[in-house]
Amino acid sequence: MDRYDAHTVETKWQRIWDESRAFEVPNPEPGAPRNERKSYVLEMLPYPSGTLHIGHVLVYTLGDVLAHFYRRTGSDVLRPMGYDSFGLPAENAALKEGEHPRDIVERNIVSIRRTMKRLGWAIDWSRELSTHDPEYYRWTQWLFLKFFEAGHTYRKAALVNWCPNDQTVLANEQVRDGHCERCGAEVEARKLEQWFFRITAYADSLLDEMKDLDWPERVLAMQRNWIGRSEGAEVLFRVDELDIDIPVFTTRPDTLFGATFFVLAPEHPLVDRLAEQSPNADEIRTYVRKAGARPVEERAAGTDKTGVFTGFFATNPVNDARIPIWVADYVLMDYGTGAIMAVPAHDERDGEFAERFDLPVKVVIDDDGKLVDSAQFAGLPHDEAAKAIVEWLGSHGRGRPAVSYRLRDWGYSRQRYWGCPIPIVYCDDCGIVPVPEEELPVILPEVEDYKPKGIPPLAQAEDWVRVPCPQCGKEGRREVETMDTFVDSSWYFLRYCDPKNEDAPYDRELADSWMPVDHYTGGLDHSTVHLIYARYFQKVLNELGLSSHREPFKRFFGNGFVTQGGAKISKRVGGAATPDELVESYGADATRLSILFIGPADQDMEWTPSGVEGMQRFLRRLWRLVGEVADNSSAGGAPDDGALARRAHRTIARATDDLGRRQQFHTPIAAVMELVNDLSKAPDDPAARFAAETTVSLIQPYAPHVAEELWERLGHERLWEQPWPQADPAFLEEDTFELVVQVNGKVRDRFRVPADLPEDELVARAKESPKVQAHLNGGEIRQTIVVPRKLVNLVVG
C-alpha cells in the first residue's frame, strides 16, 4: 500500500463531503414523518475578531466526535456553525488594526471557515449565519420589540460598571476581579441611563428549573452562587431628618437588638441625598469616588476597612435606638438593598469595622444560642426569635419576610458602534416609541469615526438619528446605543433551526422539533454570563408563545482550557502553533487526535508539539497495518471467539460507553490504540479483518479522513453513513463486570469494565466518572478501597 499522505487523503475526502453535502440535514416538509431520534449538537459560536487557535480545535473537535457518533447510532444530527461577529471583541480588533469592524470580521470569517473545512469538521454549512448580517439582527431587533411590548425590558438611570478603556458599560457578569474581562482595565462606577432586561424576575425559575438539566454540578453551583438566593426579612429603618425609610435585607433578624450602626454602600442612591445635606459632604463624595474604583472582590472580602460618617442617624425599629449612618465599601449594592444593619458582636466584618472606628459592640445571643438583652424576645432560641421578631415587625408595619438575590437586571446597552441598533425612537411628545416591525431592520449606519469617546459614536450620524416619530410624525431621535453582543448569542441556536426564514426569526414548529440543544459545548468561563442569559431568553420566549421549551441546552459540556507553559492559549494571549500550521505540518487527523488524547476534555490541558507528532506516527502505523490486512485477508465471514475477536468487541463496548454515557473523549482513543497493538501481533488471526474494520470504524469520529480512506481500502464505502459497530454480548460475558463506584460508602456510579483491568486502572476509571467527580468536589482522596471484580470506594476527607 502507498505511503500515507495526509494532505492527499484529507483533500480528497473534504471534496467528497462537500460535493455530496454529506452533513447537511434538511428540515422536514410540514406533516412529513421524521426520525423520532434527533440530536442537536452545538458548540459556542466563535468571535471572528481573529483566526482560530488550538483551543478552538479542542471545542469543535469535541462536537465533531459527538456529531459523528450520534449520526451513526441512528440520530438525525443538526450541527450548524455561525459567527458572533458584533460586539467589543470585533470592534477592539478593528481599532487595533486600524480598519472597519465589518472588514475585519468578514475577512476573519473567510479564514475561519477555510480552517474549519481543512480540519474536516462535519458541519451543516447551509445554515451558516453571522450576527452582524442585517438578515440576522433584523430578528434580534424583532425579539427586542416583543420583549419591550411584554414589559421584559426597560430603561432607567442607574449606577453602572464603566470601562474607561473600552468607553462603555459592562454587565456585572463582564467584570472580573474589578476589571473589564475584555481589556483588563479597572472598572469605574458611573450613573447613566441604560436599557435593562428583567432577568431578576426569573431568578427562581433559573434556580428551580436546573433540575431538568444534565450539566456539570460545578457549572450549576456557579449559577446558583451568581443568582444568590437568600431567605430572610426586609426591615425598615427610619431617618427622621429626611422623612424616609431605608429598607435593609437581613438573614439574621434575631440580631436586630445588637445593631449599633448602619452602613450604606457607596453606590446606594441615597448617598447623594445624604451628602447634599451633610456637613461631611466633600468627604463623602471623595470617598465614594475612591471606593468605586476598588475591585468588588476586594471590597467583599472586607480587607482594609474604610468608611465615612454621614452625620445622620437611623432608628432601629425594634428598640427605637438611633444609630449612626456610615458609608463603607465593604457593603455592596449587588446584595440585598445595598444597606445593612451592622451587628459587630455577631458578624466578623461588622466587628472589624467597629474596631477600626471605635463603634459600640452589643452581644444579643449567648453561648447557648438564646437571645439576651432583646426585650420580650430574650430567652428564646435564636431561630424561634427570628420568626417572632419578623411577625412583630409586620404587625407594626416595619418589616416583612423577604427573599433577596445577588442577581441584578441585565444592563445590555453599550456606548459603542459595532453592535445591533436598538429599535427605539425618542419623541418629546410621545416618549419612548418602538420602531414598527415593518421598518426592521434598523440598519447600522456608516460613521466617519467609530472610536469610543465616552458618548455613543452613532450620535454623529445626524441624518440617521433624526427620524419622524412612528407615533405622531413629529421629529424624533433614534436610540444611539447598541446592544451587547450577549443579546445576539442568547437566541442564535433557534435561528439555526430555520436560518433562511424571511418572515419570522424561525418557524416555531421547526424550532420545537430540534430544540432543546441536546449537547452544547463551550468554555466554563461563560457559566455565569452567556449560559444564564440564554436560559433567561428561552424562558421569556416560552412565555411569549414563541417556543415550547423552557431550557435551551439539555446537556452542557464545559471544556477545559488549553495551556502551553502553564498559560492559557487564546486570541489575546496567543501561543502554540496555529491550526493551519499544524494541519500543514501533520495533517488534520493527527491534529484532531492529539488535542483529544491529552487527557479529560473537561479539565485544563497542556499542549505540546510532541503530542501531534506522536499521533502522526500512530496514523502511519494504522495505515500500514490496515493496508496489510486488506491485502492479505478476504472480506466477510464471522470472527471466531479467539482473543483478538474478544478484544475487538471489548473495544467497541468501551468506546460506545465512554462516548455515549460517560462523555470521556480520550479513553476511546487509548482503547483503539490497544486494539491496534493486539492486531499488529496477530495479523494472520481469523479475526484480523474484523479487528481492522472495528479499528477504522471506531477511530472515524476522531480521524474521519484516514478512516474513510481505509474503509474504502477494506472494500466498503461512505463510513460516515454506516451504523456504529455493536458489541456482541456473547464476547463480553466473561470478560467484563459491572464496577460499582462509591464515595465515602455511597454508590455514585455503575458501569461495565473489562475483567482483566489492573487495580490502578479500575481506580482511574472510577475517578474519571463525571458522577463521581461531582461528589468528590475537589476534596482530597484519603483512602482507596478496591474489592476485586466488584467495587471501588473513594474515601474523601
Side-chain angles (χ1 to χ4, degrees):
M1 191 172 182
D2 295 338
R3 183 177 181 274
Y4 173 54
D5 183 338
H7 297 301
T8 300
V9 170
E10 290 168 4
T11 301
K12 167 187 173 180
W13 287 101
Q14 288 163 17
R15 184 184 68 253
I16 290 172
W17 295 330
D18 190 53
E19 291 174 352
S20 63
R21 298 184 174 182
F23 307 118
E24 291 184 15
V25 54
N27 284 325
E29 295 295 329
R34 67 170 301 171
N35 187 347
E36 293 183 0
R37 296 182 61 187
K38 67 90 180 177
S39 293
Y40 188 171
V41 179
L42 187 64
E43 303 84 55
M44 294 180 184
L45 76 177
Y47 295 123
S49 53
T51 55
L52 299 186
H53 55 72
I54 195 67
H56 292 109
V57 177
L58 169 65
V59 174
Y60 300 118
T61 305
L62 285 171
D64 210 54
V65 168
L66 288 175
H68 282 298
F69 177 74
Y70 290 142
R71 184 181 296 107
R72 293 182 58 203
T73 51
S75 288
D76 284 343
V77 175
L78 172 60
R79 192 197 177 213
M81 183 56 63
Y83 313 96
D84 200 357
S85 46
F86 260 150
L88 281 178
E91 187 172 318
N92 285 344
L95 287 168
K96 182 178 180 180
E97 298 180 34
E99 298 185 50
H100 194 284
R102 184 178 295 105
D103 296 334
I104 289 285
V105 301
E106 291 182 354
R107 183 172 69 244
N108 286 336
I109 285 171
V110 171
S111 175
I112 289 171
R113 184 191 303 117
R114 182 178 63 247
T115 300
M116 288 182 167
K117 290 190 173 184
R118 287 192 74 187
L119 281 156
W121 289 327
I123 292 167
D124 183 347
W125 290 106
S126 70
R127 298 172 185 264
E128 186 179 24
L129 59 82
S130 300
T131 62
H132 79 288
D133 185 337
E135 284 306 305
Y136 181 86
Y137 70 73
R138 167 191 181 184
W139 299 113
T140 302
Q141 293 172 343
W142 186 89
L143 291 171
F144 168 91
L145 295 179
K146 296 303 176 186
F147 279 52
F148 182 81
E149 292 167 6
H152 290 289
T153 186
Y154 64 94
R155 186 171 174 82
K156 73 169 185 177
L159 277 171
V160 294
N161 304 307
W162 179 263
C163 175
N165 179 63
D166 288 337
Q167 292 284 295
T168 193
V169 169
L170 303 175
N172 289 342
E173 291 82 357
Q174 292 168 296
V175 179
R176 304 292 187 193
D177 298 325
H179 294 77
C180 172
E181 71 166 358
R182 293 301 314 170
C183 72
E186 192 169 66
V187 173
E188 301 172 353
R190 285 196 181 183
K191 196 166 190 177
L192 295 174
E193 287 277 335
Q194 290 288 293
W195 283 98
F196 293 88
F197 284 122
R198 297 186 191 275
I199 193 171
T200 53
Y202 288 79
D204 283 330
S205 295
L206 289 166
L207 288 169
D208 296 342
E209 293 171 19
M210 285 182 184
K211 66 180 185 300
D212 301 321
L213 301 178
D214 184 7
W215 289 22
E217 176 56 34
R218 59 175 170 168
V219 176
L220 297 177
M222 283 190 278
Q223 292 208 355
R224 291 189 197 102
N225 180 64
W226 193 263
I227 296 167
R229 187 180 194 275
S230 299
E231 295 185 4
E234 183 179 86
V235 184
L236 299 178
F237 283 72
R238 185 75 177 166
V239 182
D240 292 325
E241 296 90 338
L242 300 180
D243 192 28
I244 59 171
D245 290 321
I246 303 179
V248 166
F249 174 79
T250 178
T251 59
R252 296 294 307 275
D254 53 313
T255 64
L256 258 167
F257 286 89
T260 59
F261 59 100
F262 193 91
V263 187
L264 296 173
E267 301 88 353
H268 197 288
L270 283 176
V271 171
D272 286 342
R273 185 173 173 186
L274 292 173
E276 289 174 0
Q277 303 182 39
S278 172
N280 302 333
D282 291 342
E283 187 180 0
I284 293 171
R285 292 190 178 107
T286 299
Y287 178 78
V288 167
R289 282 196 299 271
K290 290 178 61 178
R294 289 186 69 193
V296 171
E297 287 74 13
E298 181 181 314
R299 290 172 53 185
T303 57
D304 188 23
K305 290 292 189 300
T306 63
V308 59
F309 176 48
T310 66
F312 289 90
F313 292 81
T315 300
N316 188 332
V318 294
N319 58 9
D320 293 329
R322 282 170 54 81
I323 57 178
I325 300 176
W326 288 69
V327 178
D329 65 3
Y330 79 94
V331 177
L332 307 175
M333 281 302 298
D334 280 352
Y335 181 76
T337 65
I340 68 163
M341 57 174 208
V343 185
H346 303 290
D347 182 276
E348 183 178 356
R349 294 189 305 161
D350 293 346
E352 292 171 351
F353 191 88
E355 183 178 1
R356 167 73 173 78
F357 292 99
D358 196 24
L359 295 167
V361 177
K362 181 181 178 182
V363 175
V364 292
I365 299 179
D366 64 18
D367 292 339
D368 294 328
K370 294 182 178 180
L371 268 63
V372 296
D373 201 7
S374 300
Q376 68 268 36
F377 306 103
L380 290 176
H382 69 90
D383 51 348
E384 292 182 24
K387 297 176 183 177
I389 289 172
V390 174
E391 290 176 2
W392 184 91
L393 289 167
S395 67
H396 290 76
R398 307 305 297 162
R400 63 181 180 84
V403 176
S404 179
Y405 302 89
R406 182 175 180 265
L407 182 69
R408 291 292 181 260
D409 277 349
W410 170 13
Y412 62 90
S413 49
R414 299 290 179 263
Q415 295 68 42
R416 295 292 290 255
Y417 168 67
W418 191 241
C420 176
I422 298 173
I424 285 292
V425 173
Y426 297 98
C427 174
D428 291 338
D429 293 337
C430 305
I432 298 176
V433 182
V435 172
E437 290 181 21
E438 60 270 18
E439 295 182 17
L440 301 180
V442 175
I443 297 292
L444 183 70
E446 296 296 324
V447 297
E448 292 183 4
D449 183 5
Y450 63 87
K451 294 182 177 65
K453 304 177 182 64
I455 59 172
L458 290 182
Q460 64 184 288
E462 295 181 2
D463 292 342
W464 180 83
V465 172
R466 290 195 300 270
V467 66
C469 170
Q471 197 160 299
C472 71
K474 295 181 181 178
E475 183 173 303
R477 304 172 308 283
R478 288 194 190 278
E479 173 61 81
V480 293
E481 297 181 342
T482 54
M483 296 189 208
D484 179 15
T485 185
F486 281 111
V487 180
D488 306 326
S489 59
S490 290
W491 75 279
Y492 76 104
F493 38 86
L494 289 157
R495 183 67 176 174
Y496 279 144
C497 300
D498 192 18
K500 308 301 182 186
N501 195 322
E502 297 180 356
D503 302 316
Y506 50 85
D507 178 87
R508 176 176 168 177
E509 183 178 350
L510 282 176
D512 284 349
S513 70
W514 282 115
M515 291 292 289
V517 174
D518 295 281
H519 196 286
Y520 196 42
T521 302
L524 291 170
D525 50 334
H526 288 296
S527 298
T528 56
V529 190
H530 163 59
L531 290 176
I532 285 183
Y533 292 166
R535 293 184 62 213
Y536 158 71
F537 247 66
Q538 188 69 33
K539 296 178 192 308
V540 175
L541 294 176
N542 171 260
E543 293 178 11
L544 293 178
L546 298 172
S547 173
S548 296
H549 303 286
R550 295 283 294 175
E551 290 287 345
F553 314 122
K554 181 178 180 181
R555 191 173 198 177
F556 173 67
F557 185 90
N559 62 274
F561 291 128
V562 181
T563 63
Q564 187 173 29
K568 174 188 171 185
I569 297 172
S570 68
K571 285 192 185 77
R572 283 173 286 166
V573 177
T578 68
D580 284 325
E581 290 170 340
L582 292 171
V583 172
E584 191 64 33
S585 298
Y586 305 101
D589 286 339
T591 301
R592 293 163 56 116
L593 279 164
S594 68
I595 195 67
L596 291 189
F597 190 61
I598 295 174
D602 59 347
Q603 299 176 21
D604 293 351
M605 57 190 70
E606 179 75 5
W607 186 89
T608 61
S610 61
V612 68
E613 292 167 359
M615 284 303 164
Q616 185 184 56
R617 291 193 296 271
F618 166 71
L619 289 176
R620 288 171 178 167
R621 182 186 184 204
L622 179 67
W623 178 268
R624 291 193 302 270
L625 184 60
V626 173
E628 291 171 5
V629 171
D631 291 340
N632 298 327
S633 64
S634 59
D640 67 5
D641 61 354
L644 186 58
R646 289 197 300 275
R647 167 64 79 176
H649 281 282
R650 287 202 300 268
T651 305
I652 293 171
R654 179 177 173 184
T656 304
D657 187 57
D658 285 353
L659 287 178
R661 186 181 65 85
R662 301 178 64 231
Q663 298 288 278
Q664 292 291 317
F665 295 88
H666 63 302
T667 50
I669 302 174
V672 170
M673 287 179 166
E674 292 171 8
L675 180 56
V676 168
N677 285 336
D678 287 351
L679 178 59
S680 68
K681 297 172 184 175
D684 299 323
D685 190 288
R689 174 171 284 269
F690 173 71
E693 291 178 347
T694 298
T695 298
V696 171
S697 187
L698 294 180
I699 206 66
Q700 181 266 344
Y702 296 87
H705 309 87
V706 71
E708 292 291 348
E709 187 70 18
L710 291 175
W711 191 249
E712 191 175 79
R713 184 74 178 84
L714 287 163
H716 311 298
E717 60 182 21
R718 288 181 174 251
L719 177 54
W720 77 84
E721 294 180 344
Q722 298 305 308
W724 186 254
Q726 300 292 311
D728 187 338
F731 288 85
L732 304 176
E733 288 178 358
E734 297 181 0
D735 297 294
T736 68
F737 69 94
E738 183 179 67
L739 178 66
V740 176
V741 184
Q742 299 176 337
V743 177
N744 291 339
K746 294 185 177 181
V747 176
R748 298 305 185 187
D749 202 359
R750 300 172 184 267
F751 49 87
R752 299 201 70 81
V753 296
D756 59 355
L757 279 184
E759 185 173 306
D760 59 343
E761 179 65 17
L762 288 176
V763 174
R765 295 278 189 98
K767 291 178 180 178
E768 286 173 358
S769 164
K771 294 180 180 178
V772 172
Q773 289 180 355
H775 291 280
L776 293 176
N777 199 26
E780 180 183 355
I781 299 175
R782 294 189 296 103
Q783 186 180 7
T784 301
I785 302 170
V786 179
V787 178
R789 297 182 67 90
K790 187 173 183 181
L791 69 81
V792 171
N793 181 23
L794 305 174
V795 181
V796 180

